[in-house]
Amino acid sequence: MISATGIELRAGARVLIESATFRVAKGDRIGLVGRNGAGKTTLTKCLAGEGIPAAGQITRSGEVGYLPQDPRTGDLDVLARDRILSARGLDVLIRKMRENEQRIANGQGATREKALKQYERQETEFLTKGGYAAEAEAATIAAALNLPDRVLGQPLHTLSGGQRRRIELARILFSDADTLLLDEPTNHLDADSIVWLRDYLKTYRGGFIVISHDVDLVETVVNKVFYLDANRAQIDVYNMGWKLYQQQREADEKRRKRERQNAEKKAAALHSQADKMRAKATKTSPRRTWPSAPTGCWRAWRRSGSPTRSPSSASRSRRPAARPR
């Protein structure tokens, strides 16, 4: 299982995903969708442990099998068959068993006895991990992905890019991981191999996330959809199959469009109301005129309806009467 809590992903300064919380549990068959550049590949890398989120936490329990778009296969000198078997550690055991077989056949005395004991221990471990049945299972998966025995017997550096990617897909499917992260698994597959992959994923016991432009694959296998909304930098989780998701997504888009339109109308109305209030306040505010000379004060005083007498006479009338001598 994989759990993500409050994760944030960035591409430079741009926020791809913000405060996302979700989990991938056993039985979850999740289609990860979104426009190009939304962050699907970046997310799967972080879930696989090949990248670090800008914020939040990702925890993993159990084995995780990750198929990137451009797989790095490491040592290109190993055989294609051994690369597939390495998913369960069988390649090392088989190589050691072959070496001890040579020592047993060509050695003598103590050397032969030592090789025989080592071979017995290695064969026991080999059988514990599935042994020859596991080898047969790996061969079956490879054949279903159009990888015949002649290809499996070649070193990786002799194979084409498409063949090496199919080897990696076979390795991931053979790993029997608890959670699969598959980024465009149908690339370089023929029609028959794609049909086989659909059937395989429909019955997969663990959980997985798949990114694919193959609509038939997604429609056939997924029971949940994670939609990466690049405009909102959010992950919308739909606990339903592909067809119901498309209907629900369309309804959600219409609802969000109405909400945006209503918000824009409210914002425009508030802006208009604020403009009117500012204009009204400017129009009704009193205009004060400060006279620049006493003459102006006198004229304003006369217009106000005060008695028609000069300030000098008024001041004289307020003087106290002279005392009689």
Side-chain angles (χ1 to χ4, degrees):
M1 185 178 74
I2 300 177
S3 295
T5 306
I7 64 168
E8 178 181 307
L9 301 183
R10 290 177 173 269
R14 184 165 67 96
V15 176
L16 298 175
I17 300 172
E18 187 175 25
S19 300
T21 298
F22 59 87
R23 72 172 187 166
V24 184
K26 184 178 181 179
D28 287 342
R29 303 194 299 271
I30 300 167
L32 181 58
V33 298
R35 76 184 190 195
N36 291 339
K40 301 186 294 294
T41 294
T42 303
L43 176 60
T44 53
K45 282 183 178 179
C46 289
L47 295 178
E50 295 192 3
I52 301 174
Q57 185 177 13
I58 297 173
T59 58
R60 306 168 194 85
S61 60
E63 186 179 354
V64 176
Y66 175 46
L67 177 72
Q69 286 195 37
D70 183 20
R72 305 292 181 179
T73 54
D75 185 3
L76 297 180
D77 291 328
V78 302
L79 298 180
R81 179 181 290 104
D82 289 348
R83 177 62 183 171
I84 297 173
L85 293 173
S86 69
R88 298 187 191 175
L90 295 176
D91 60 322
V92 176
L93 279 174
I94 291 174
R95 185 170 64 250
K96 290 180 177 179
M97 289 169 64
R98 289 170 185 163
E99 291 172 354
N100 281 316
E101 284 175 350
Q102 293 295 324
R103 294 189 183 101
I104 293 169
N106 302 323
Q108 293 180 356
T111 301
R112 187 175 184 277
E113 287 296 323
K114 182 179 179 181
L116 183 60
K117 290 179 180 179
Q118 289 178 344
Y119 182 87
E120 289 174 352
R121 289 197 301 268
Q122 291 159 0
E123 186 179 35
T124 300
E125 184 179 355
F126 176 71
L127 294 174
T128 301
K129 292 184 175 182
Y132 302 104
E135 274 195 295
E137 180 186 349
T140 300
I141 293 174
L145 298 177
N146 195 20
L147 294 167
D149 284 341
R150 63 174 181 80
V151 173
L152 298 180
Q154 295 178 227
L156 291 175
H157 68 80
T158 65
L159 305 180
S160 67
Q163 287 174 325
R164 276 186 278 181
R165 196 169 197 279
R166 279 179 277 149
I167 291 292
E168 286 305 298
L169 176 59
R171 180 180 181 274
I172 297 303
L173 299 180
F174 175 68
S175 70
D176 200 24
D178 299 283
T179 308
L180 301 179
L181 304 172
L182 306 175
D183 195 344
E184 297 292 351
T186 58
N187 284 359
H188 305 289
L189 295 187
D190 58 24
D192 291 339
S193 296
I194 292 174
V195 172
W196 176 87
L197 181 61
R198 290 178 200 161
D199 293 338
Y200 184 92
L201 293 179
K202 278 194 299 184
T203 59
Y204 192 74
R205 297 189 304 273
F208 65 78
I209 291 180
V210 59
I211 303 171
S212 179
H213 287 92
D214 188 324
V215 177
D216 290 336
L217 174 74
V218 177
E219 183 177 341
T220 302
V221 305
V222 307
N223 56 17
K224 288 186 178 182
V225 178
F226 286 2
Y227 177 77
L228 271 62
D229 192 324
N231 295 324
R232 296 164 45 239
Q234 297 291 321
I235 297 180
D236 295 330
V237 176
Y238 293 85
N239 295 311
M240 58 191 70
W242 181 253
K243 289 185 177 180
L244 289 176
Y245 151 76
Q246 288 181 307
Q247 299 172 8
Q248 187 61 49
R249 185 73 201 169
E250 184 179 359
D252 289 346
E253 288 295 336
K254 290 180 179 179
R255 174 179 54 79
R256 288 197 180 97
K257 184 177 181 180
R258 289 194 302 269
E259 290 173 352
R260 286 195 299 269
Q261 291 174 342
N262 292 335
E264 289 170 359
K265 288 179 180 179
K266 289 180 180 179
L270 290 173
H271 185 72
S272 177
Q273 184 179 3
D275 287 343
K276 290 178 180 179
M277 292 177 67
R278 282 193 294 268
K280 183 178 180 181
T282 302
K283 184 176 180 181
T284 58
S285 61
R287 298 181 62 186
R288 296 181 179 179
T289 302
W290 300 98
S292 57
T295 305
C297 292
W298 167 245
R299 289 174 180 171
W301 185 63
R302 288 291 301 273
R303 285 196 298 270
S304 66
S306 300
T308 55
R309 54 181 179 177
S310 64
S312 58
S313 61
S315 61
R316 285 195 300 269
S317 65
R318 289 194 296 271
R319 291 176 183 172
R323 291 182 182 179
R325 294 181 180 267

